[in-house]
Amino acid sequence: MRYKLTIEYNGAGFSGWQIQPDARTVEGELEKAFSKILQRDIDLIGQGRTDAGVHARGQVAHVDIENVADVQKLIFGVNGLAGKEIYIKTIEEVHSDFHARFDATSREYAYTILKDSSPLQEHLGWSQNGDLDSTKLHECAALLNGEFDFSGFSKFNEENFTTLCTIQKSTFEEFDDKWVYRISANRFLRNMVRRITGTIVEVAKGKLTVSEFSELLENPDADVKSFTAPAKALVLEKVFY
């Protein structure tokens, strides 16, 4: 049977989602836990990667499991072995041709920008000691609507078949102590959300202009430098099917 898993994790102690040699990853820890209980190799297929240090509230993966009488008991055991940083929230039986990656229609991320230093929130937010121009935050976010070539806002990856992505939502929510940037798209490139966010913050600080941000968005080869925000404040919120 094929099962769809929804997974939450704190990415601080991992080198990302995808299995890597000699590195601790979320996928690697989950596969080890499944294999230990089932006494056979298990291949977990995620909807996509998250970078080192990035968190997830709604990562999705699928797995094929045979001859298991009680899948809820199995997941209880996997959660126990995987440790407190990872938690499988739900498991549901899906059709045998369901694919966590290829069937996904969009993904949504949230990035938290703290208005001031906050020891209680520092591990999940990026502190800005000084005012950001909220008008410029909203102006930049509003420019991200539709399909763009994001090669100017991403780390080169030879596996990319295209650097075009379609943005479906790009908004800032303001609270007393923070801003939360929410962005959803059909696909994301490596470091893309962090570079978009980091560059928008540079605009809000007055170090770049809205026009320069727009220029880089419209022309990836423009002579405008992008900036990368820290991984610790980024969360994969949800994957849509």
Side-chain angles (χ1 to χ4, degrees):
M1 304 301 298
R2 178 159 294 187
Y3 294 92
K4 174 186 172 187
L5 310 175
T6 303
I7 307 156
E8 181 173 321
Y9 54 84
N10 182 330
F14 298 99
S15 297
W17 162 267
Q18 189 176 34
I19 289 179
Q20 303 172 41
D22 304 317
R24 185 171 180 254
T25 68
V26 179
E27 183 182 28
E29 294 302 302
L30 284 171
E31 285 194 0
K32 282 194 296 185
F34 270 108
S35 297
K36 185 171 183 178
I37 293 174
L38 297 173
Q39 293 297 295
R40 59 179 181 269
D41 290 339
I42 290 295
D43 187 19
L44 197 64
I45 307 297
Q47 64 79 29
R49 308 173 184 179
T50 54
D51 295 334
V54 173
H55 318 289
R57 199 183 316 277
Q59 172 69 301
V60 174
H62 76 254
V63 62
D64 294 330
I65 305 173
E66 300 176 358
N67 302 322
V68 174
D70 190 339
V71 293
Q72 295 297 335
K73 184 177 180 180
L74 169 64
I75 296 306
F76 180 82
V78 170
N79 280 335
L81 288 175
K84 294 182 178 180
E85 299 156 290
I86 305 172
Y87 183 68
I88 299 174
K89 298 163 67 174
T90 64
I91 179 170
E92 57 181 295
E93 185 179 329
V94 290
H95 196 274
S96 60
D97 63 0
F98 171 84
H99 198 285
R101 177 183 177 188
F102 299 134
D103 289 350
T105 57
S106 63
R107 292 90 170 155
E108 180 174 320
Y109 282 88
Y111 195 99
T112 299
I113 301 169
L114 303 175
K115 294 183 177 180
D116 205 348
S117 294
S118 172
L120 290 178
Q121 300 182 79
E122 186 68 32
H123 65 295
L124 289 175
W126 183 23
S127 296
Q128 298 298 315
N129 296 319
D131 291 335
L132 298 183
D133 188 327
S134 61
T135 299
K136 291 180 179 178
L137 291 178
H138 292 297
E139 285 180 3
C140 287
L143 291 172
L144 290 154
N145 182 21
E147 184 180 74
F148 298 93
D149 182 346
F150 283 96
S151 55
F153 286 100
S154 63
K155 189 172 183 178
F156 175 75
N157 184 351
E158 61 184 10
E159 296 179 8
N160 285 335
F161 63 90
T162 179
T163 50
L164 295 175
C165 304
T166 302
I167 305 300
Q168 299 155 339
K169 177 170 72 174
S170 171
T171 60
F172 273 94
E173 300 174 9
E174 185 171 1
F175 301 90
D176 290 341
D177 58 346
K178 62 191 174 186
W179 289 277
V180 177
Y181 177 50
R182 297 189 181 277
I183 181 170
S184 62
N186 64 328
R187 60 194 296 270
F188 287 95
L189 307 177
R190 189 174 181 185
N191 288 169
M192 178 175 150
V193 179
R194 292 167 57 200
R195 290 199 182 186
I196 289 172
T197 308
T199 307
I200 290 177
V201 167
E202 290 295 295
V203 174
K205 287 179 177 179
K207 295 182 179 180
L208 288 174
T209 65
V210 174
S211 294
E212 286 175 312
F213 179 84
S214 178
E215 183 180 0
L216 183 57
L217 185 61
E218 297 292 344
N219 177 18
D221 296 323
D223 188 23
V224 179
K225 182 182 178 182
S226 64
F227 294 82
T228 306
K232 64 176 182 176
L234 181 60
V235 178
L236 171 62
E237 289 286 331
K238 190 172 182 180
V239 183
F240 298 89
Y241 291 88

